[in-house]
Amino acid sequence: MLAHQQRSANSGERTRLACWRKRPAFVNFESLKDCFGEPPKPAREPRALPRTVYSVVVGLYVLLISHSFAAEVIPPTPKAYFNDYANVVSKEAASGFNEQLAQFERETSDQVVVAVFPKMQSDSDIADYTQRVAQAWGVGQKDRRNGVVLFVFIQDRKMFIQVGYGLEGALPDATAFDITERHIKPLFRTGGYEAGLATGIDLICKAIRGEYTGSGKTVAERKGGAGVFGLLPFITFIIVLIIISRLFRKLGGYGYSSRRSGPVFIPSGGGWSSGGGSGGGFSGFGGGGGSFGGGGAGSSW
């Protein structure tokens, strides 16, 4: 019996060796199958998520993203340099701050904007949110990127100074933090919002003055001047009417006759204004296309 088993084993070994000696130049899978049996089956791929589960996951992700975007509001570009949406200062003080900042742009070309809101309309960090707002407003000249925005959120008791690329050297983060922490914050804590804002504006202007030279006009005034040139044809027409009117008066006044085509009426009682305000020398703000890279600092009180 043992001899028979030994002969069977030797016979199987000889068969395997014969298969290897006689293998063709190309691989014959059928012959290999006879020699070695069935090849091992590849491992099964991991089972994919059911389509329903996948749809639910994607839906939740989209809902989360849309909710985060809906929770943030970027305010429209302001029409003034000083904007008190929380009504914490008097109208006289707000007008004075606005004219001060408009004159500062005329002298330096730097645009400094102040925005006081009741609360922050975003779930983001105040630094990230205010950077997006300042960027959307385009504060500062496009080529110089010399804009600064002081944001104040009364109910959140937070403030932040956003500094444009071109003024980060004159107003670094340490200086911005010093202004908010050591000078504005103590006044805000006692309810002195007007005094705190006045102090902040003065210190910001002192820090950045001298970096650039102004042209004597703000961005809004330059844009308004370009609009006046577009009115030249109409102004010329008015002048011609005035001349014709005076000629008729020398001829005997207005009247109907066979020699006259009729009366000429000259508009009166009105006038042209420079625009951008509600009278009283109001200076409007116009963004110059500045950009922000995250420079600045803030405080809480």
Side-chain angles (χ1 to χ4, degrees):
M1 183 68 179
L2 292 175
H4 177 72
Q5 292 179 352
Q6 184 65 33
R7 286 195 301 273
S8 299
N10 293 336
S11 176
E13 184 65 24
R14 286 194 298 271
T15 303
R16 293 176 184 272
L17 292 174
C19 289
W20 278 108
R21 291 192 188 98
K22 296 178 180 179
R23 66 185 186 276
F26 59 90
V27 180
N28 190 328
F29 291 99
E30 291 298 327
S31 59
L32 291 178
K33 181 177 177 181
D34 294 337
C35 295
F36 301 102
E38 292 286 343
K41 294 183 178 180
R44 296 181 61 184
E45 294 182 358
R47 190 174 182 183
L49 286 174
R51 183 171 297 180
T52 304
V53 176
Y54 178 79
S55 301
V56 171
V57 171
V58 172
L60 290 175
Y61 177 76
V62 172
L63 182 63
L64 179 63
I65 295 298
S66 61
H67 174 73
S68 61
F69 279 112
E72 181 171 292
V73 176
I74 301 295
T77 303
K79 298 185 180 301
Y81 296 87
F82 185 87
N83 307 272
D84 180 17
Y85 303 108
N87 298 318
V88 296
V89 304
S90 64
K91 291 184 178 180
E92 293 76 13
S95 178
F97 291 147
N98 187 75
E99 291 304 317
Q100 176 185 352
L101 296 174
Q103 183 61 27
F104 186 74
E105 182 185 350
R106 296 186 188 103
E107 296 172 358
T108 66
S109 80
D110 300 331
Q111 290 189 330
V112 179
V113 173
V114 179
V116 184
F117 294 97
K119 64 178 298 184
M120 192 169 68
Q121 301 185 66
S122 175
D123 297 329
S124 301
D125 176 74
I126 185 173
D128 296 335
Y129 175 62
T130 53
Q131 179 187 351
R132 288 192 290 273
V133 176
Q135 182 74 28
W137 290 354
V139 182
Q141 314 294 329
K142 186 175 182 180
D143 55 339
R144 297 179 173 181
R145 300 183 290 186
N146 54 342
V148 178
V149 186
L150 170 58
F151 291 94
V152 178
F153 303 98
I154 300 298
Q155 297 179 22
D156 301 307
R157 304 181 73 84
K158 295 179 180 180
M159 57 181 152
F160 201 94
I161 299 176
Q162 280 290 341
V163 183
Y165 281 111
L167 292 175
E168 289 181 355
L171 187 57
D173 297 355
T175 303
F177 179 75
D178 181 75
I179 293 173
T180 59
E181 184 70 18
R182 295 185 57 236
H183 298 277
I184 302 178
K185 179 178 178 176
L187 296 170
F188 277 10
R189 278 187 167 178
T190 60
Y193 294 111
E194 188 171 314
L197 291 166
T199 300
I201 291 172
D202 289 339
L203 292 175
I204 290 172
C205 291
K206 286 180 180 178
I208 63 178
R209 183 182 289 275
E211 287 294 303
Y212 301 99
T213 303
S215 63
K217 290 186 178 182
T218 67
V219 171
E221 289 168 347
R222 291 201 300 270
K223 291 179 179 178
V228 170
F229 286 108
L231 295 172
L232 282 178
F234 182 76
I235 295 174
T236 303
F237 176 71
I238 295 296
I239 293 174
V240 171
L241 286 180
I242 293 174
I243 294 172
I244 294 174
S245 173
R246 289 180 178 178
L247 289 175
F248 277 132
R249 286 180 183 178
K250 290 181 179 180
L251 294 175
Y254 294 116
Y256 290 98
S257 72
S258 60
R259 291 178 298 174
R260 297 191 180 112
S261 59
V264 177
F265 297 95
I266 304 298
S268 61
W272 296 97
S273 62
S274 59
S278 56
F282 177 84
S283 297
F285 165 75
S291 54
F292 294 77
S299 301
S300 300
W301 72 91

